[in-house]
Amino acid sequence: MGQGSALSPILLALYIAPLICIFELRAQSLNLSTSIFSFVDDSLLISQGKTYNITLPELYSSYRVVTDLMVSFGLVMEHDKFEIFHFSRAHNDLNLELDLSAIGAPTLKPKTYWRYLGFYFDRCLSFKEYVQYYSTKALFIVKAMGMLGNSTRGLLPLQKHLLYHSCVVSIATYSFRL
């Protein structure tokens, strides 16, 4: 199926659902506390623990299980699209890498900010990057609104009001409840 096809998400869900179920069973048999979440074609491996000595080996084992399952399903793992991100309460905590070279994948270097489904997360969940990104985007739209109209007259106040509410407010308040 092509990537833009309407059948693509449906077929992906049919393929991925058994893979996730088998992963959960294998993770349980290996005593891994890793969970897998999937939204269309974005998937997450989540491991929780008090130290990196607990979470990094679990992520490594889980990644290996997922890789083996993908190969057995006839799917291809694109290792360069994988990212790692650590949340930590400690501000001076190390942001350790995950070495996957033993299974033929590159070493994953943690990102400073994690972007997932339009949200920006930092390690302390302060949402500063998220607020900065969307407020900057809204300000650029406000500046671009001045270019609308022709050289003799601009937009009417009613049109500006409608444009502001339909374009700027929706971006500035994108998922503000988060």
Side-chain angles (χ1 to χ4, degrees):
M1 269 301 118
Q3 188 170 355
S5 171
L7 268 168
S8 185
I10 297 166
L11 290 175
L12 179 74
L14 290 172
Y15 240 84
I16 294 295
L19 189 137
I20 292 173
C21 290
I22 294 169
F23 170 80
E24 294 290 339
L25 292 173
R26 287 198 185 164
Q28 189 177 19
S29 69
L30 295 170
N31 291 327
L32 298 174
S33 62
T34 307
S35 301
I36 189 168
F37 296 110
S38 184
F39 180 78
V40 187
D41 64 346
D42 276 343
S43 297
L44 296 171
L45 282 174
I46 298 174
S47 180
Q48 299 175 12
K50 293 187 178 194
T51 65
Y52 294 134
N53 294 336
I54 296 169
T55 57
L56 286 175
E58 284 201 0
L59 283 173
Y60 175 81
S61 299
S62 301
Y63 191 89
R64 187 176 201 135
V65 169
V66 169
T67 303
D68 293 343
L69 284 173
M70 293 281 279
V71 169
S72 68
F73 274 54
L75 301 173
V76 177
M77 290 279 283
E78 294 183 43
H79 299 291
D80 57 331
K81 290 190 176 183
F82 283 84
E83 299 175 348
I84 187 170
F85 193 84
H86 301 292
F87 290 107
S88 177
R89 292 182 188 167
H91 294 286
N92 58 355
D93 208 358
L94 296 174
N95 210 2
L96 301 175
E97 299 176 346
L98 180 60
D99 185 15
L100 299 171
S101 58
I103 58 174
T107 299
L108 295 179
K109 296 178 180 164
K111 305 269 182 188
T112 308
Y113 298 103
W114 175 46
R115 185 173 185 264
Y116 187 69
L117 301 177
F119 301 104
Y120 287 83
F121 299 98
D122 65 356
R123 296 184 65 207
C124 299
L125 293 178
S126 67
F127 293 99
K128 288 179 185 176
E129 181 69 19
Y130 174 81
V131 171
Q132 181 180 357
Y133 175 80
Y134 281 102
S135 60
T136 303
K137 191 173 182 178
L139 285 172
F140 275 114
I141 290 175
V142 168
K143 288 181 180 182
M145 284 172 46
M147 293 187 291
L148 295 174
N150 58 29
S151 59
T152 57
R153 67 181 184 130
L155 297 173
L156 298 173
L158 182 64
Q159 293 169 326
K160 287 181 181 178
H161 176 76
L162 180 65
L163 187 63
Y164 177 79
H165 276 284
S166 59
C167 296
V168 178
V169 173
S170 63
I171 288 172
T173 60
Y174 175 70
S175 67
F176 69 96
R177 293 182 185 190
L178 179 66

